[in-house]
């Protein structure tokens, strides 16, 4: 069974840092690209970041660029999201999702994790 | 303000048909493929439609997608109470070099 499991969410103070992990099971994550999507409480989905299977292509939304870093360890079947300089408006459930599609113009998210909650508050 | 525009809510009676629109521009929907996601209350989103109009295995043919120009539409026929959920469109934005979601549409089956 294909599964993605996020972890690392926590309560953190403004300006702090957090590292989220996305672990895959039931398939080999190393051959797939991965996207992080977040959802603030009571709000819609927001695309956050993308990493190609090889790690050689990375994209960020303007709202996190320069503060967040996506990476992967294919040997551990995992993808990470390092979040620095956290702000209150970064508070959200963070989902990782497997990307399908031969190119970004056709990319879609076929499997999602259950999400991990990040709360930024003093 | 989302890059892709969806109506905040739609409603219809059981058994009826509903459509959800998603409006964008040439930098996103106009030149890229659209996918649609269903999010039931308290759960993670689930893929409904990809490549504008393709259904993954297990998605009933009551759900269909289409695209024309810089707009896309999700249609749901034979509405069931279990279809009550939030629905999101998504695509790649070539100018932003980022993915973009619509603001989401809450479907109520009356």
């Amino acid at each position: 069974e294909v599964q993605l499991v996020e972890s690392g969410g926590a309560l953190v103070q403004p300006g702090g840092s957090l590292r989220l992990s996305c672990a895959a099971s039931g398939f080999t994550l190393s051959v797939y690209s991965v996207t992080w999507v977040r959802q603030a409480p009571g709000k819609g989905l927001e695309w956050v970041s993308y990493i190609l299977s090889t790690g050689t292509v990375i994209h960020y939304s303007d709202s996190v660029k320069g503060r967040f870093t996506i990476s992967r360890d294919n040997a551990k079947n995992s993808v990470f999201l390092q979040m620095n300089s956290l702000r209150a408006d970064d508070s959200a459930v963070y989902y990782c999702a497997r990307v399908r599609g031969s190119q970004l113009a056709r990319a879609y998210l076929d499997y999602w994790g259950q999400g991990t909650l990040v709360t930024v508050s003093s | 303000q989302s890059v892709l525009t969806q109506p905040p809510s739609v409603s219809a009676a059981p058994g009826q048909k509903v459509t959800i629109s998603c409006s964008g521009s040439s930098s996103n929907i106009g030149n890229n493929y659209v996918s649609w996601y269903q999010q039931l209350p308290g759960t993670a989103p689930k893929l409904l439609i990809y490549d504008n109009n393709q259904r993954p295995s297990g998605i009933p043919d009551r759900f269909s997608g289409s695209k024309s120009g810089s707009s896309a539409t999700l249609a749901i026929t034979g509405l069931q109470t279990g279809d009550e959920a939030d629905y999101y469109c998504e695509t790649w934005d070539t100018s932003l070099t980022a993915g973009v979601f619509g603001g989401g549409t809450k479907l109520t089956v009356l």
Side-chain angles (χ1 to χ4, degrees), chain A residues 49-87:
Chain A
S49 183
Y50 163 94
I51 185 166
L52 185 65
S53 56
T54 58
T56 54
V57 177
I58 287 172
H59 294 288
Y60 300 99
S61 65
D62 286 344
S63 60
V64 307
K65 200 172 295 182
R67 301 186 300 121
F68 289 13
T69 302
I70 192 171
S71 63
R72 64 190 304 155
D73 184 339
N74 285 339
K76 295 183 177 179
N77 230 26
S78 296
V79 172
F80 309 99
L81 187 67
Q82 177 67 41
M83 306 186 296
N84 298 332
S85 303
L86 282 163
R87 312 185 302 224

Side-chain angles (χ1 to χ4, degrees), chain A residues 37 39 43-47 50 59-62 65 95 104-110 112-114, chain B residues 31-33 35 37 39 43-47 50-51 88 90 92 96-103:
Chain A
V37 175
Q39 186 170 35
K43 303 297 184 182
L45 301 176
E46 180 186 6
W47 188 96
Y50 163 94
H59 294 288
Y60 300 99
S61 65
D62 286 344
K65 200 172 295 182
Y95 297 100
L104 284 167
R106 298 190 72 158
Y108 58 96
L109 309 174
D110 68 340
W112 297 60
Q114 84 292 343
Chain B
N31 283 286
N32 297 311
Y33 289 77
S35 53
Y37 302 88
Q39 188 176 32
T43 69
K46 172 185 172 182
L47 177 66
Y50 67 97
D51 281 2
Y88 296 90
E90 192 268 345
W92 183 255
L96 296 174
T97 59
V100 289
F101 281 95

Side-chain angles (χ1 to χ4, degrees), chain B residues 50-84:
Chain B
Y50 67 97
D51 281 2
N52 300 330
N53 56 18
Q54 300 299 302
R55 284 186 310 276
S57 61
I59 301 299
D61 59 7
R62 300 188 298 106
F63 295 89
S64 63
S66 62
K67 185 185 115 169
S68 177
S70 297
S71 293
T73 301
L74 174 70
I76 311 172
T77 59
L79 277 172
Q80 302 173 0
T81 55
D83 296 331
E84 286 202 334

